Amino acid sequence: MDHIENDDKYQGLTVNKGVVSPPTVNPYLKKNLRAKKSLYSANEYVEGILKGDITMLSQAVTLIESTLPEHYSLAQEVIEKVLPYSGNSVRIGITGVPGAGKSTSIDSFGMHLMKQNKKLAVLAIDPSSERSKGSILGDKTRMERLAVQKNVFVRPSPSAGSLGGVARKTRETIVLCEAAGFDTVFVETVGVGQSETAVHSMVDFFLLIQLSGTGDELQGIKRGIMEMADGIVINKADGSNIDKAQLAAAQFRNALHLFPPTESGWVPKVKTYSGYFDLGIKEIFDMIDEYFSFVKETGFFEFKRQQQSKYWMYQTIDEKIREHFYENEEIKQLLQEKERLVLDSKLSSFVAAKEVLKVYYNK
Ligand code: GDP
C-alpha cells in the first residue's frame, strides 16, 4: 500500500517509495559459482566483510588458509582492501599448557566481554594440528557458552604448513575480523613450543595461564615464555585450591622481580582466578585495560604494532622464498639426489647445499 505521503496533495514531509535493491551478487552467478565451488570477487568479499557478514568473513578466511595460488592472490587483494578498516581491536594472546584451562577461560572471558556488548573473534595457532589431523584448538564444543553467541566468531587454527605459515594466516585473519567489526581478538596457543613467539608477534597483550601445582611452581616453565607475558593468571583458584593458587601467584611475583624490566616499561601482573566458576574475571580485564592505557600513553602500543608489521614483512618474505625454492620440481629432485650423496658420505653438506643453490639461482 502507498504511503499517504505519496499523495500529490500531501504537503508534509515525503517518504520515497523506494526501489527494490538488486542483490549484491547476481543470484544466477552465485548459483553457478557455488556449483563449481568457485569464488566471489575481491570486492564482493570486501563488501561482505565490511558489513559484518560472517559467512563472507568465514569464506575469506578459507581463502587465506588455502594453498592454491589463485586463492592466495585473491585473499591478498581482499586483505589489502580491508586493511584501512582494520587495526581497531584489542588483540590478546592466550597461552598455557594443555589442561591449564584455556578453553574454559576463553569461554568465561568471552562471556564477560559479551556483557559489555563486545564482538569477539577467537583464533588459534596450533602447530601440532597437521600431525594430529584436526585441530585441538578452536573447537566450538570446547567453548559451550560462546559457541551460541551471535557476536562471537570462533575459528580453529589453520592446519597446513610451517609454523611461520600458520601464524601468518592467523595474523591475516585478524585483519579480516577487525574489518568485520570484531573489537576484541583472542589468539590461543598451546604453551609448549615456539608458537608463543609467533602469537607474541601479533598481539598487544600476552596472557599466560598457569596452574598451581605441587612443589616448585616455576619448574618446567620456559623463562622465555614468562618474559613475554604481560600478565600471568593462575587458574582454578576455587574450592580447596585457593590457597595453593595464591601461593603460586606469590612465587610468580617473586620470580618476575628477578627479570630485567620489560621493553614497554610495564610491570607484568599476577592474578588468581577461576575460569570454571567465573571468579576474578573482571580483575583480569581491569589489568588488561590498565595495560592498554599505559602503553597508549607511552606510545609503546603504536611502536609495538609497527615493529610487528616489520616483523611480518620479513616473515612473509622468508616464507615465500622457502616455498618458491622447495616447491620447485627440479629442485625437489635435485635435493633428493644430493641428500643421498650426503647420507652416503660422498658429498659434504656444505658442498651439496652450494650446488643446489647454484642451480636454483641460475634458473
Ligand atoms: P585447555 O586444555 O587449556 O583448553 O583446558 P580446558 O579448558 O579444557 O580445561 C582442562 C580441565 O580443567 C577441564 O576438565 C576443566 O573443566 C578444568 N578447569 C578449567 N578451568 C577450571 C577452573 O577454573 N576450576 C576448576 N576447578 N577446573 C577447571
Side-chain angles (χ1 to χ4, degrees), residues 225-340:
I225 297 183
M226 266 190 74
E227 269 176 326
M228 276 191 272
D230 300 300
I232 297 178
V233 287
I234 321 288
N235 190 18
K236 310 194 188 182
D238 46 54
S240 58
N241 209 27
I242 293 180
D243 289 347
K244 265 200 275 174
Q246 272 161 4
L247 184 66
Q251 289 183 337
F252 276 108
R253 280 186 201 111
N254 284 336
L256 283 172
H257 281 309
L258 304 175
F259 284 2
T262 56
E263 203 188 349
S264 61
W266 165 259
V267 182
K269 302 216 173 338
V270 184
K271 308 260 172 209
T272 59
Y273 77 109
S274 166
Y276 190 84
F277 293 102
D278 289 339
L279 302 169
I281 311 298
K282 182 182 174 296
E283 286 72 10
I284 293 177
F285 281 90
D286 287 348
M287 162 175 73
I288 294 174
D289 287 346
E290 201 187 319
Y291 174 85
F292 273 84
S293 310
F294 178 79
V295 289
K296 284 199 169 157
E297 197 165 314
T298 62
F300 184 79
F301 176 82
E302 263 310 306
F303 170 78
K304 189 173 176 186
R305 285 218 171 165
Q306 282 163 353
Q307 293 299 309
Q308 290 175 334
S309 298
K310 184 176 114 185
Y311 172 86
W312 283 99
M313 179 181 90
Y314 286 107
Q315 275 295 113
T316 309
I317 292 173
D318 284 355
E319 188 200 342
K320 292 293 146 196
I321 290 178
R322 285 174 63 88
E323 228 174 72
H324 192 260
F325 177 78
Y326 284 107
E327 280 167 20
N328 180 291
E329 286 308 319
E330 195 184 334
I331 296 296
K332 271 191 203 167
Q333 203 144 27
L334 196 60
L335 279 174
Q336 273 186 358
E337 286 165 28
K338 300 289 179 196
E339 202 182 296
R340 215 169 304 125

Side-chain angles (χ1 to χ4, degrees), residues 36-195:
K36 281 195 279 166
K37 266 198 120 170
S38 219
L39 312 161
Y40 296 109
S41 72
N43 283 338
E44 285 164 338
Y45 283 112
V46 172
E47 198 184 315
I49 289 168
L50 294 182
K51 272 198 306 206
D53 180 334
I54 300 299
T55 313
M56 282 302 234
L57 171 65
S58 216
Q59 287 179 12
V61 174
T62 306
L63 286 183
I64 289 180
E65 292 171 354
S66 164
T67 47
L68 295 178
E70 62 265 35
H71 289 180
Y72 179 76
S73 44
L74 184 56
Q76 293 310 311
E77 206 183 326
V78 175
I79 292 166
E80 195 73 34
K81 288 190 163 146
V82 301
L83 210 53
Y85 304 93
S86 72
N88 308 320
S89 81
V90 167
R91 305 168 180 168
I92 301 172
I94 298 177
T95 193
V97 294
K102 289 180 296 303
S103 40
T104 311
S105 303
I106 289 173
D107 205 42
S108 165
F109 297 165
M111 290 314 289
H112 176 80
L113 294 173
M114 289 304 104
K115 278 186 230 140
Q116 301 173 359
N117 292 323
K118 300 274 187 194
K119 279 187 82 178
L120 170 68
V122 182
L123 313 177
I125 293 180
D126 171 18
S128 65
S129 58
E130 199 181 13
R131 261 170 293 143
S132 61
K133 291 273 176 256
S135 174
I136 50 163
L137 294 176
D139 177 353
K140 281 191 185 179
T141 56
R142 291 167 67 238
M143 298 160 199
E144 282 173 11
R145 288 179 294 172
L146 283 191
V148 293
Q149 296 295 317
K150 178 168 111 283
N151 287 332
V152 176
F153 177 68
V154 179
R155 185 80 185 191
S157 174
S159 58
S162 61
L163 169 61
V166 167
R168 179 192 43 84
K169 290 169 186 176
T170 303
R171 185 171 193 267
E172 291 174 346
T173 302
I174 295 180
V175 170
L176 298 193
C177 290
E178 288 176 344
F182 288 91
D183 50 41
T184 313
V185 178
F186 288 166
V187 184
E188 179 193 6
T189 192
V190 176
V192 286
Q194 301 158 317
S195 46

